[in-house]
């Protein structure tokens, strides 16, 4: 049963490297982005039964490499948001904000549970911040709260993560004024938008298998497929398709605002690879029947999603190329919309982040 759950979690969010020259460093500090916004209170995490049930905590609750914090969000009526931090060994070090995908920690589909991010970043001497909340929210500010399922109460995630949180959190971490933001799938879009809405705040951005465009028919309906899983509609989030707010949150339309920021952008092509085959999972001890069913789901559903992502990402590259905005691309020869590709992205994005942050 445990093996089945592990494989199901992997399905929950079901190339060649082209290296870009260095971009200019970020210069904007958290207090400039925050303005008059009321800031978060950052403190040690209160370990609730809900937190204890989450697999990331079961793995790393006693691991001293992972700092367990929580922060209030004034914009979300004082909501308390759990935060895990892979702590830099020294003070005055950069910070990477690593955004979870659609299901997030609430569905045990987060970076700490699904990858070996702790092992990878532990010796890199950077702070890696993972907000363990916000499932299906796109980490954006919603016009209207659905007040259903995962999307209950005010949804003001961009305000929280770009204005309320960075100053107090980075002060606590004794971090430098250098930072990056990266996300996968749903949050690959969010990472691009955070940088576009706050020029000069992020030195680097990682967009792992996401879609920059949001305001065209196909892409808008892709938003719907994601937020529906959390009980919401894209109209509640950004208004009607093509509205002013929707266009403001279309990273393809606003690509010029990424000039000067280091970019790492990736995608598979939807064709199944080694990690999409039943044998990949049976070698890990998964029951052969479960592995076969799961692999079929990855190859069909995950393949269709990643083919769409691949189309989006090539359109994004074409736009950036036309504007002479450099980026490092990782277009994989195979790969569905699943965790093995995003695990690779942690490794492959590091040279880009290291160049920008150090």
């Amino acid at each position: 049963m445990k093996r089945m759950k592990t494989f199901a979690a992997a399905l929950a969010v079901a190339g060649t490297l082209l290296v870009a020259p260095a971009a200019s460093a970020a210069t904007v500090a958290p207090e400039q982005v925050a303005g008059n916004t009321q800031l978060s209170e950052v403190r040690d995490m209160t370990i609730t039964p809900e937190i204890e049930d989450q697999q990331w905590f079961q793995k790393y609750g006693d691991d001293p490499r992972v700092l367990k914090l929580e922060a209030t969000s004034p914009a979300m009526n004082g909501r308390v948001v759990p935060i895990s931090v892979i702590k830099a060994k020294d003070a005055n070090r950069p910070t990477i904000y690593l955004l979870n995908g659609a299901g997030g920690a609430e569905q045990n589909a987060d970076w700490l549970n699904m990858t070996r991010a702790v092992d990878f970043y532990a010796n890199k001497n950077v702070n890696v911040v993972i907000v363990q909340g916000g499932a299906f929210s796109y980490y954006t500010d919603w016009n209207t709260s659905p007040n259903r399922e995962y999307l209950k109460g005010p949804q003001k995630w961009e305000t929280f993560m770009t204005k309320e949180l960075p100053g107090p959190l980075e002060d606590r971490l004794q971090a430098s004024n250098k930072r990056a933001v990266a996300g996968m799938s749903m949050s690959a879009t969010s990472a691009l938008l955070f940088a576009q809405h706050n020029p000069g705040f992020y030195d680097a951005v990682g967009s792992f298998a996401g879609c920059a465009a949001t305001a065209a028919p196909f892409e808008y309906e892709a938003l719907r497929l994601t937020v529906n899983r959390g009980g919401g509609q894209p109209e509640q989030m950004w208004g009607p398709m093509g509205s002013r707010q929707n266009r403001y949150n279309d990273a393809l339309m606003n690509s010029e605002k990424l000039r000067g920021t280091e970019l790492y952008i990736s995608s598979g092509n939807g064709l199944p690879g080694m990690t999409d085959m039943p044998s990949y999972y049976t070698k890990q001890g998964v029951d052969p029947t479960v592995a076969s069913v799961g692999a079929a789901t990855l190859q069909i559903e995950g393949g269709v999603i990643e083919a769409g992502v691949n189309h989006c990402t090539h359109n994004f590259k074409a736009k950036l190329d036309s504007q002479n905005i450099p980026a490092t691309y990782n277009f994989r020869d195979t790969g569905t919309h699943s965790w093995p590709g995003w695990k690779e992205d942690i490794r492959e994005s590091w040279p880009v982040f290291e160049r920008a942050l150090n």
Side-chain angles (χ1 to χ4, degrees), residues 13-14 57 110 131-132 163 165 191 213 219 225 243 248 266-267 317 321 342 345 352 357:
V13 186
F57 184 80
D110 59 282
V131 170
Q132 302 288 32
K163 299 180 185 296
L165 179 65
E219 290 81 359
L225 290 175
S243 64
Y248 172 70
S266 73
S267 171
K317 182 181 185 300
D321 287 349
W342 307 326
D345 287 326
V352 177
L357 298 173

Side-chain angles (χ1 to χ4, degrees), residues 258-282:
L258 294 171
R259 189 179 300 279
T261 303
E262 288 272 10
L263 302 172
Y264 171 91
I265 300 167
S266 73
S267 171
N269 65 4
L271 296 176
M274 180 186 69
T275 59
D276 303 300
M277 299 299 172
S279 59
Y280 177 78
Y281 296 97
T282 56

Side-chain angles (χ1 to χ4, degrees), residues 183-238:
M184 55 82 171
S185 190
M186 173 191 84
S187 66
T189 304
S190 313
L192 294 168
L193 294 174
F194 281 13
Q196 290 177 342
H197 296 168
N198 303 281
F201 193 49
Y202 299 97
D203 294 273
V205 177
S207 176
F208 309 159
C211 190
T214 65
F218 175 83
E219 290 81 359
Y220 191 83
E221 290 308 308
L223 297 178
R224 191 182 310 279
L225 290 175
T226 299
V227 299
N228 274 179
R229 292 167 58 198
Q233 301 292 341
E235 289 84 359
Q236 295 170 307
M237 186 168 70
W238 291 334

Side-chain angles (χ1 to χ4, degrees), residues 133-170:
F136 306 109
S137 69
Y138 267 90
Y139 294 111
T140 192
D141 288 358
W142 287 56
N143 287 336
T144 303
S145 171
N147 276 318
R148 292 185 58 203
E149 299 175 39
Y150 294 92
L151 298 167
K152 294 179 180 178
Q155 301 294 308
K156 300 294 181 183
W157 290 96
E158 183 172 334
T159 294
F160 171 64
M161 296 185 70
T162 65
K163 299 180 185 296
E164 297 175 343
L165 179 65
L169 178 60
E170 292 175 19

